[in-house]
Amino acid sequence: MKFEQHLFLSDVHIGAFSDATNQLIEKDLISLIKHCQKNKIALYILGDLFDYWMEYPDQNFVPKLGKKVLNTFEEYNRTVNPALYITGNHDNWTFGHFEERGFELEPDYRLFEINNKQFLLMHGDGVSSDTIEFPRAKFHRLLRNSKFVHYYQKYLSPKVGVNIMKLFSALTRKRNHSKLKPLNQIAEKLLKEHKLDFILTGHDHIPRVETFSCGSYINLGTFCNHRTVALYNNEGMQLVTWSATSKNFIPFEGNN
């Protein structure tokens, strides 16, 4: 299916907050998914939809997170188009459940073209690639290492293992909020090297659009805090805020 509109979101972090806050985030996200379903808008998730997502396949354990959200996504995936789900550093321990829900799963990055424009999509914590020069930090590589995952799950039960990662996750979220913007420099370099028009990431929780002579870098910020998403159509790329009340997009005012 050829889409006239494309929507990108990241850093929802379902499960990281109080029950009341999680329910509000889920409610607003569900309204957005239904809007995309109704209006046939292509959906792309750029990581950290959940916090923390860890499947234990040997114990048939799947986190009890965001079931209403996943049900809504599954309906979208079956009736419109499989949403592309690029896993982030808080939701990459997945062993088939997201595919069962109809997602097109991508553990690394995605290069593709829309309307003769070249896009690079990734979470923002680095990639494993011989062509995209943006290596992950050593600790993030460890978390994605199959041997580490195997022994972690062998010796730690789902309850203990998830709680440890949720504690780590809370610490990294606090750090990300106070960071400067190193992704800007990485994006400018990759835009030039690969002749790209757009690079989109999340990860550092700072919504912004940075325009360089060679292309544009869009950081999606956080859906959990900002409700920011990027919308691409015939008029170009916009960083916008989703209003669940009006069921509409509001232009994002300024870089944070």
Side-chain angles (χ1 to χ4, degrees):
M1 179 184 294
K2 185 175 181 180
F3 292 93
E4 295 183 359
Q5 297 186 83
H6 303 258
L7 187 135
F8 309 85
L9 67 99
S10 74
D11 294 273
V12 186
H13 290 283
I14 294 170
F17 310 100
S18 67
D19 289 344
T21 300
N22 277 318
Q23 287 172 13
L24 180 59
I25 293 168
E26 291 184 37
K27 178 174 174 289
D28 288 356
L29 179 56
I30 286 170
S31 72
L32 175 59
I33 301 166
K34 289 183 176 179
H35 176 83
C36 291
Q37 182 178 5
K38 178 181 177 181
N39 293 280
K40 301 295 186 291
I41 301 173
L43 271 171
Y44 308 81
I45 305 160
L46 272 61
D48 288 359
L49 177 60
F50 296 100
D51 195 322
Y52 201 95
W53 186 272
M54 298 175 68
E55 295 173 36
Y56 276 64
D58 292 341
Q59 301 182 45
N60 295 317
F61 173 80
V62 174
K64 297 178 180 179
L65 291 175
K67 285 190 175 181
K68 291 182 179 178
V69 168
L70 284 172
N71 289 343
T72 309
F73 264 123
E74 184 171 359
E75 185 178 352
Y76 171 92
N77 292 338
R78 304 300 182 195
T79 61
V80 181
N81 193 66
L84 176 65
Y85 188 157
I86 299 175
T87 56
N89 54 303
H90 291 181
D91 57 2
N92 58 73
W93 287 19
T94 174
F95 297 96
H97 188 72
F98 293 151
E99 289 97 333
E100 290 174 5
R101 292 286 194 162
F103 289 104
E104 180 184 353
L105 197 70
E106 170 56 64
D108 222 332
Y109 68 94
R110 183 63 60 90
L111 279 165
F112 66 102
E113 180 181 302
I114 303 175
N115 297 336
N116 298 318
K117 299 293 185 181
Q118 303 301 317
F119 285 71
L120 169 60
L121 308 182
M122 53 188 176
H123 176 60
D125 62 331
V127 299
S128 176
S129 171
D130 294 329
T131 57
I132 305 295
E133 190 177 347
F134 181 22
R136 291 188 177 96
K138 289 182 179 179
F139 188 65
H140 285 188
R141 292 202 299 271
L142 175 66
L143 290 178
R144 292 177 182 255
N145 182 277
S146 59
K147 289 184 178 179
F148 173 80
V149 174
H150 170 76
Y151 286 109
Y152 187 97
Q153 296 192 337
K154 180 178 180 180
Y155 294 110
L156 296 175
S157 68
K159 182 177 180 180
V160 174
V162 169
N163 284 337
I164 289 173
M165 282 300 176
K166 283 178 71 68
L167 177 62
F168 165 74
S169 171
L171 294 173
T172 59
R173 280 200 313 278
K174 291 179 181 179
R175 181 197 64 195
N176 284 342
H177 277 296
S178 63
K179 286 175 69 176
L180 297 175
K181 302 178 182 178
L183 281 170
N184 291 6
Q185 289 73 39
I186 294 167
E188 183 178 17
K189 178 176 178 288
L190 294 177
L191 283 164
K192 289 179 180 178
E193 288 180 351
H194 298 278
K195 298 181 180 179
L196 300 166
D197 296 290
F198 297 103
I199 292 178
L200 287 87
T201 79
H203 186 56
D204 72 10
H205 294 186
I206 307 170
R208 60 196 185 274
V209 177
E210 303 291 345
T211 303
F212 305 103
S213 59
C214 46
S216 295
Y217 167 55
I218 297 92
N219 190 293
L220 301 169
T222 66
F223 189 86
C224 57
N225 293 323
H226 305 100
R227 301 298 192 269
T228 44
V229 297
L231 186 65
Y232 179 76
N233 53 33
N234 291 333
E235 297 177 2
M237 179 76 74
Q238 270 190 305
L239 187 62
V240 296
T241 302
W242 170 247
S243 171
T245 303
S246 64
K247 303 291 189 296
N248 205 355
F249 299 107
I250 302 169
F252 176 72
E253 297 294 338
N255 289 351
N256 285 8

